[in-house]
Amino acid sequence: MKKRLLAFLLAGLMIAALTGCGSDGTEQSGDGGKSKRAQANEIAVGIAQDLDDSLDHHKAVAAGTKEVMFNVFEGLMKPTPTGELIPAVADHYTFSEDKLTYTFTLRKGVKFHNGDTVTAEDVKYSIQRVAAPAETGVVPVEALSIIAGIDTPDEETVVITLSEPSNEFLSYMTVAIEPADYTQQDTAPVGTGPFRFVSRAAQESVVLERFDEYWGTPAHLNRVTYKIIENAEGLLMGLQSGALDIVSHLSTTQVAQLGSGFTIEEGAMNLVQALYLNNAEKPFDDVRVRQALCYAIDRQEILDIAFDGYGSIINSSMYPAFGKYFVEEMNDHYTVDIAKAKALLAEAGYPDGFSMTITVPSNYKPHIDTAEVIVEQLKDIDVTAEIKLVEWESWKTDTYAGRQFQSTVVGFDAATMTARALLERWTSDYGKNMINYNDPAYDALFEQAQTCYDDAEQTALYKEMQKNLTVNAANVYIQDLADLVAVRSDLTGLQFYPIYVLDLSTVRYTA
């Protein structure tokens, strides 16, 4: 096994050596070596996938869409890089002693990007729209189903009444505030954030500009152009040629090939990366088979070979940034034990192993790299795995929505800083439960957590849910990937968040 993996690693290094480091071009203009984009106070950001068909934040599904649109939309509250929640469109709020009534006072004069002033009716419309969707495509926020009523006594006050208390309610007040009477959110989105939407060319680019009437600290940059390059080599070449200034989610191999002229910022991607298993498909409908894979996969070896040791090992559907809920000791539940894995397979009726397919979106190099190491590791238990690369749109429609897959390597994020955002997904009747996990005990724990108003008790229930997923090997959990971001050396100010976003409002040129 070690010899195979060493050969695998050496082959990767040879490829890196052959491709070279490339040019450090920056589209020089002759003005003291300053690039044309720097002179215009603009940047180009490379992203590996196109955005959702609709740019309406209430309809966004893909993490990549929300990552970009974080710069355009805001809620009553918003997260900070340190994981706190602070007022945004709201100036302040109060709540009743029984935590059933929340009163939000809006900031005076907050403007939408179309010039209209935000009113209480816009807030009411936005929250009701996702709490009980009546429109096709609007993604329901199940946690807001406890809203019993929303009152707007005046243009700057919103009173929300809940049917039951919730420890997590404020976290869901990050839902985007959109104008109530605007009908073009799908193609020309309007929010209140530091950048406003300018244009989109499908499969090519998205352009944002600084919103000069922003209520808060204005963005430093005049314009940001996101260039869609669904090819890992293309992103690297874009950086090397000077066509791109920032690219996130790079592999260590890409960083090694990059050359000079860049700062590599390191954070966490805030994703639960796993080999996700379709629990309704043979052979993964047998818990013993799923457990066998968990015993066969060496997570640290994946990090060492594919990511030069970067990343944080996980063993359930939670990542370390959610420290309150993260159960670190679960990382030791499955240690590599080939003999035990083979015994479990034999007990399940697969003494000679089996063949399987791992579907991976072709535009995500870190997931491809992970899958390649997994293929090698599974050979030790006589499991033959084949990687099936698919376009991102195909993955979304067939693998994710259609559930037409055996296994897949991807990562899931949390839209809000709550344990519910990561764990509700695997309840048996939840629409996003793509792996078809169905365990009555898990469902019962989730229901208990939603009717528990003591924070410590609720946290304990969420930890039990994580243990349930691990013990039953719902998936083969691997890591929260390190987020390696290449930033051109004359840029500074990039900040990381505990959720999957890329805030460009703080990025600026150094001179």
Side-chain angles (χ1 to χ4, degrees), residues 27 35-44 242-245 509:
E27 296 184 355
S35 72
K36 293 178 181 179
R37 285 196 299 275
Q39 292 180 71
N41 196 27
E42 301 176 359
I43 64 169
L244 300 175
D245 301 302
Y509 282 97

Side-chain angles (χ1 to χ4, degrees), residues 465-484:
M465 291 177 70
Q466 293 174 63
K467 292 177 183 176
N468 176 291
L469 293 171
T470 300
V471 171
N472 291 329
N475 304 291
V476 182
Y477 295 103
I478 300 167
Q479 64 170 319
D480 176 15
L481 295 112
D483 193 3
L484 302 179

Side-chain angles (χ1 to χ4, degrees), residues 230-242:
E230 295 186 345
N231 176 284
E233 289 73 21
L235 287 168
L236 180 63
M237 289 173 63
L239 287 167
Q240 292 171 333
S241 69

Side-chain angles (χ1 to χ4, degrees), residues 20 79 111 137 159 200 265 323 393 422 439:
K111 294 293 183 73
V159 181
R200 177 195 188 182
E265 303 285 354
E393 288 302 317
L422 286 167
D439 183 72

Side-chain angles (χ1 to χ4, degrees), residues 332-346:
D332 299 324
H333 187 82
Y334 293 106
T335 55
V336 180
D337 191 331
I338 300 303
K340 189 166 188 175
K342 286 185 173 181
L344 283 165
L345 288 182

Side-chain angles (χ1 to χ4, degrees), residues 13-287:
L13 291 174
M14 288 175 66
I15 292 170
L18 290 170
T19 55
C21 290
S23 151
D24 184 33
T26 54
E27 296 184 355
Q28 302 299 326
S29 66
D31 181 19
K34 199 173 185 181
S35 72
K36 293 178 181 179
R37 285 196 299 275
Q39 292 180 71
N41 196 27
E42 301 176 359
I43 64 169
V45 179
I47 55 177
Q49 68 179 63
D50 197 5
L51 276 59
D52 285 314
D53 292 337
S54 171
L55 300 181
D56 185 336
H57 204 276
H58 296 164
K59 297 180 181 179
V61 175
T65 303
K66 290 178 278 188
E67 179 183 36
V68 171
M69 288 298 161
F70 179 81
N71 296 279
V72 174
F73 291 101
E74 295 175 312
L76 289 172
M77 309 291 290
K78 69 177 182 180
T80 70
T82 57
E84 298 173 285
L85 279 173
I86 60 174
V89 174
D91 180 76
H92 61 273
Y93 66 91
T94 60
F95 54 87
S96 60
E97 189 174 345
D98 60 6
K99 294 186 178 180
L100 290 176
T101 304
Y102 287 76
T103 301
F104 295 90
T105 302
L106 306 187
R107 291 184 189 275
K108 291 184 182 296
V110 174
K111 294 293 183 73
F112 284 116
H113 298 149
N114 62 2
D116 293 344
T117 300
V118 177
T119 69
E121 285 302 319
D122 296 313
V123 175
K124 179 178 180 178
Y125 158 80
S126 299
I127 295 173
Q128 284 183 333
R129 190 173 185 230
V130 297
E135 285 179 64
T136 301
V138 173
V139 179
V141 180
E142 303 288 350
L144 297 183
S145 62
I146 61 172
I147 292 178
I150 304 178
D151 296 314
T152 54
D154 58 58
E155 287 195 351
E156 295 178 354
T157 307
V158 178
V159 181
I160 302 177
T161 305
L162 308 182
S163 59
E164 59 189 59
S166 170
N167 297 328
E168 300 169 323
F169 173 71
L170 278 177
S171 295
Y172 287 92
M173 288 297 95
T174 56
V175 63
I177 303 304
E178 301 182 359
D181 58 353
Y182 184 70
T183 60
Q184 300 178 58
Q185 286 288 6
D186 287 332
T187 56
V190 166
T192 65
F195 287 94
R196 70 177 188 88
F197 173 82
V198 176
S199 65
R200 177 195 188 182
Q203 298 295 328
E204 291 183 15
S205 64
V206 176
V207 179
L208 308 180
E209 283 183 351
R210 180 174 60 205
F211 181 47
D212 290 331
E213 294 184 81
Y214 181 56
W215 62 267
T217 303
H220 296 281
L221 298 167
N222 291 337
R223 175 180 283 231
V224 175
T225 299
Y226 293 89
K227 296 186 178 181
I228 297 141
I229 304 174
E230 295 186 345
N231 176 284
E233 289 73 21
L235 287 168
L236 180 63
M237 289 173 63
L239 287 167
Q240 292 171 333
S241 69
L244 300 175
D245 301 302
I246 296 178
V247 175
S248 301
H249 322 321
L250 294 174
S251 69
T252 53
T253 301
Q254 289 172 303
V255 168
Q257 295 175 21
L258 188 54
S260 61
F262 296 91
T263 299
I264 304 302
E265 303 285 354
E266 181 190 349
M269 209 174 287
N270 300 315
L271 290 175
V272 177
Q273 190 205 44
L275 175 65
Y276 288 94
L277 306 172
N278 190 339
N279 286 215
E281 292 287 325
K282 289 186 178 300
F284 305 125
D285 57 345
D286 191 318
V287 65

